[in-house]
Amino acid sequence: MAVDFTLTHPERVHSLAMLAAPWPRYHWSADMIAYDEAETAALDAGDLDAAVRINLDMWLRGPSRSWDDVADGLSDQLRGPLRTSLVNQALVGQHSQGPATGDLAAVSVPTLVGVGKLDVVDFQDIARRYATEIPGTTLVEFATAAHLIAMDAPTELSAVLGPFLAR
């Protein structure tokens, strides 16, 4: 959405920061497909608790670390908002504007793309693609973060975003 807005209204955008952003029509890995199937099965069965666990496992813990490596309290902090998101997932899908379709080479504002080094490989690949496609992009890899960079590495993110936004 942010990319589409930037392409449609470049005069209204000072800079663009994308953290673990999706790629339109990306060809997902077997691990991502398995995650999606597990989440869908849990939701179809009405097992919201299982769907929450599946999402916490994928997005907070990630594929590269154990729960012992995740900061204390983060899963408890995210459980409620994640539950709300899952309950409303179908509604969001009905009102989604769809994937970005513009020419990324036309993005002319300073752009930062962030990705967690502990995120699924799909999002690491996507981040590199954005950094390649958008001219002058700064790619930042957060060594201690999985998918939820702001939760995993808030201090590191602030240290990067502050100077970037002050340009």
Side-chain angles (χ1 to χ4, degrees):
M1 185 182 305
V3 172
D4 275 344
F5 187 86
T6 301
L7 289 168
T8 305
H9 305 284
E11 74 285 355
R12 297 178 70 187
V13 178
H14 174 264
S15 57
L16 175 64
M18 301 186 309
L19 304 175
W23 185 275
R25 295 170 296 284
Y26 185 80
H27 295 288
W28 298 106
S29 68
D31 288 342
M32 284 296 294
I33 292 168
Y35 149 76
D36 183 60
E37 290 172 349
E39 179 196 63
T40 299
L43 291 173
D44 288 349
D47 192 345
L48 197 53
D49 290 335
V52 168
R53 280 192 306 275
I54 290 163
N55 276 274
L56 286 172
D57 228 24
M58 177 60 99
W59 304 122
L60 180 58
R61 183 182 57 80
S64 302
R65 60 185 176 178
S66 74
W67 278 108
D68 291 336
D69 298 322
V70 176
D72 290 338
L74 278 185
S75 63
D76 292 334
Q77 203 176 346
L78 286 171
R79 199 172 309 282
L82 185 52
R83 187 178 188 86
T84 300
S85 174
L86 289 166
V87 165
N88 294 293
Q89 189 166 281
L91 184 62
V92 169
Q94 290 175 5
H95 297 285
S96 175
Q97 295 180 20
T101 56
D103 177 16
L104 294 176
V107 173
S108 60
V109 297
T111 301
L112 180 138
V113 172
V115 66
K117 293 284 286 179
L118 305 175
D119 200 352
V120 296
V121 295
D122 300 63
F123 281 94
Q124 293 179 40
D125 178 54
I126 289 168
R128 287 188 291 278
R129 287 175 75 176
Y130 275 119
T132 300
E133 297 284 331
I134 300 173
T137 293
T138 300
L139 175 65
V140 179
E141 297 175 313
F142 294 88
T144 63
H147 190 73
L148 305 176
I149 297 165
M151 300 296 292
D152 272 332
T155 303
E156 295 87 344
L157 178 59
S158 293
V160 169
L161 281 180
F164 176 75
L165 295 174
R167 291 187 198 187

